[in-house]
């Protein structure tokens, strides 16, 4: 028989039915972690606070921006107000990740902590100012709430801004003079809270900040769902993990990438290959290319009989899986839970991902921390773990 498609909706239903909180998001374990971080916190009078909307792109982009922002906050010695993830609503950071590893690295509070425990006394509505390098246009100033998702992000916390402050400064704090200028010109006593429209970070993630991925430790609910899946459906067997970024929107992005070396996260695979540029096979491989590269990998690993796929195009996948070795079982999780995909892909025995994609970049960084190698579509090369990422 052709490869079987395994859906896991029953487990999802059982998990959320038995564990979900009032909003149905990752259940009691996530609520418990939120309770654990609701400790009394004191105002950082010396360093001040840094907050922003984590509003650029999908989850992979947001994660890259967050890591850059952690580096920025540490460089200018401000307490980082960790924003929620942004989907169609705000999702608290602690729903998906543990808070403790971040505060062990640098002083931080969650946005929920800040607004419930500190804002009333130290950041009242009549003192809330938005900061930016320069006006976005002549009519809207910094425009912290202009458009979506920016407006809805701040509205969920009841935040409005009375004025704008133009900094004229970049976020390139790896240059020591930039960090000093931020601290000298915007001292905490005069600027206790710096609120920015977006993350103070470059995209793609700068290479010297990749090591900060070690701070992103999955929350108990994510670990539970993912391990339940692998234990029940894979039964501890070895598996290949594939990330297929093959949606129509991605195809349009790739049209701009062909022939370039640096586009989105492409340097994660091209940095070490000086004679390579982005090709169609690297950015948007055809079904036959995907099938051939996967089947070649399986031939080299005959003990592996399971493939786990994360994709942005389930319809294309439904045809693609028929081209794999018929002795192999193909697994697909709920496409609406990409965080679970990321956890499972990072722990695959062998992984192939999309060189240009920030989603794959997240998996690659996590596999680095786990001392696992990675591969990419269209490249005949295996990438060992980045030594800078190892604990």
């Amino acid at each position: 028989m052709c490869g079987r498609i395994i859906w896991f909706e029953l487990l999802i239903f059982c998990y959320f039915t038995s564990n979900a909180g009032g909003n149905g998001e990752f259940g009691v374990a996530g609520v418990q972690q939120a309770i654990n971080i609701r400790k009394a916190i004191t105002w950082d009078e010396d360093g001040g606070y840094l907050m922003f909307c984590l509003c650029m792109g999908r989850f992979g982009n947001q994660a890259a921006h967050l890591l850059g922002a952690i580096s920025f906050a540490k460089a200018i010695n401000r307490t980082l107000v960790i924003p929620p993830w942004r989907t169609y609503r705000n999702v608290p950071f602690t729903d998906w990740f543990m808070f403790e590893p971040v505060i062990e690295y640098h002083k931080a509070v969650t946005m929920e902590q800040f607004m419930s425990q500190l804002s009333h006394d130290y950041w009242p509505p009549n003192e809330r100012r938005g900061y930016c390098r320069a006006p976005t246009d002549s009519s809207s100033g910094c425009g912290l709430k202009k458009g979506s998702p920016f407006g809805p992000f701040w509205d969920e916390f009841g935040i409005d801004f009375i004025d704008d402050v133009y900094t004229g400064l970049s976020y390139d704090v790896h240059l020591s003079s930039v960090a000093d200028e931020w601290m000298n010109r915007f001292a905490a006593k005069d600027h206790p809270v710096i609120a920015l429209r977006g993350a103070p970070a470059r995209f793609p993630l700068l290479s010297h900040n990749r090591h900060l991925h070690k701070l992103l430790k999955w929350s108990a609910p994510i670990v539970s769902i993912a391990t339940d899946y692998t234990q029940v459906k894979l039964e501890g067997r070895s598996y290949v993990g594939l990330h297929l970024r093959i949606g129509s929107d991605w195809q349009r992005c790739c049209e701009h990438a062909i022939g370039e070396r640096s586009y989105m996260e492409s340097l994660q695979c091209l940095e070490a290959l000086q004679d390579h540029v982005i090709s169609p096979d690297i950015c948007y491989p055809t079904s036959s290319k995907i099938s051939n590269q996967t089947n070649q990998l399986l031939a080299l690993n005959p003990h592996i009989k399971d493939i786990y796929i994360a994709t942005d195009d389930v319809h294309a996948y439904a045809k693609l899986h028929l081209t794999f070795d018929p002795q192999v079982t193909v697994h697909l999780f709920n496409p609406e839970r990409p965080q679970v995909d990321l956890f499972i892909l990072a722990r695959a025995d062998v992984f192939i991902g999309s060189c240009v994609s920030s989603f794959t970049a997240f998996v690659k960084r996590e596999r680095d921390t786990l001392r696992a190698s990675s591969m990419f579509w269209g490249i005949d090369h295996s990438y060992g773990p980045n030594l800078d990422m190892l604990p």
Side-chain angles (χ1 to χ4, degrees), residues 110-227:
T110 67
M111 190 77 162
E112 293 76 16
Q113 282 181 309
F114 182 89
M115 293 306 296
S116 65
Q117 298 188 41
L118 298 175
S119 65
H120 181 269
D121 293 328
Y122 300 101
W123 198 50
N126 64 344
E127 296 181 11
R128 297 175 182 177
R129 294 172 175 81
Y131 290 69
C132 62
R133 185 173 185 174
T136 56
D137 59 54
S138 59
S139 62
S140 61
C142 287
L144 264 70
K145 298 188 66 175
K146 182 179 179 181
S148 180
F150 302 97
F153 171 87
W154 298 107
D155 283 342
E156 286 193 31
F157 291 103
I159 296 174
D160 290 301
F161 300 97
I162 63 166
D163 199 4
D164 294 322
V165 178
Y166 305 128
T167 68
L169 299 177
S170 80
Y171 301 142
D172 294 330
V173 289
H174 55 286
L175 306 174
S176 59
S177 60
V178 175
D180 291 340
E181 197 164 4
W182 270 100
M183 289 186 286
N184 292 334
R185 288 179 52 187
F186 297 97
K189 66 180 182 66
D190 299 317
H191 304 271
V193 180
I194 293 178
L196 302 169
R197 186 170 193 259
R202 287 182 177 270
F203 181 84
L205 180 67
L206 297 175
S207 58
H208 64 263
N209 287 331
R210 291 174 188 162
H211 71 100
L212 296 177
H213 191 95
K214 292 179 287 191
L215 306 179
L216 297 180
K217 301 294 185 184
W218 293 106
S219 67
I222 297 293
V223 174
S224 177
I225 297 170
T227 54

Side-chain angles (χ1 to χ4, degrees), residues 210 261 264-272 351 353-365 374 376 379 383:
R210 291 174 188 162
R261 272 191 56 78
M264 296 189 183
E265 291 282 7
S266 64
L267 290 181
Q268 67 177 320
C269 66
L270 297 184
E271 203 166 35
F351 169 69
S354 174
C355 166
V356 181
S357 165
S358 61
F359 189 94
T360 281
F362 187 104
V363 177
K364 173 64 168 70
R365 294 193 302 267
S374 301
F376 298 94
I379 297 179
Y383 294 72

Side-chain angles (χ1 to χ4, degrees), residues 261-327:
R261 272 191 56 78
S262 179
Y263 187 82
M264 296 189 183
E265 291 282 7
S266 64
L267 290 181
Q268 67 177 320
C269 66
L270 297 184
E271 203 166 35
L273 303 175
Q274 295 300 318
D275 59 338
H276 280 59
V277 295
I278 300 170
S279 66
D281 288 348
I282 288 176
C283 194
Y284 194 80
T286 63
S287 296
S288 61
K289 294 288 186 180
I290 293 171
S291 176
N292 290 340
Q293 190 169 343
T294 303
N295 286 327
Q296 289 171 10
L297 182 61
L298 291 170
L300 295 173
N301 298 271
H303 64 291
I304 298 181
K305 300 298 181 185
D306 292 271
I307 297 175
Y308 181 90
I309 290 180
T311 182
D312 60 340
D313 191 341
V314 175
H315 299 296
Y317 154 80
K319 296 179 180 178
L320 178 63
H321 88 279
L322 299 174
T323 67
F324 295 145
D325 186 326
Q327 302 302 314

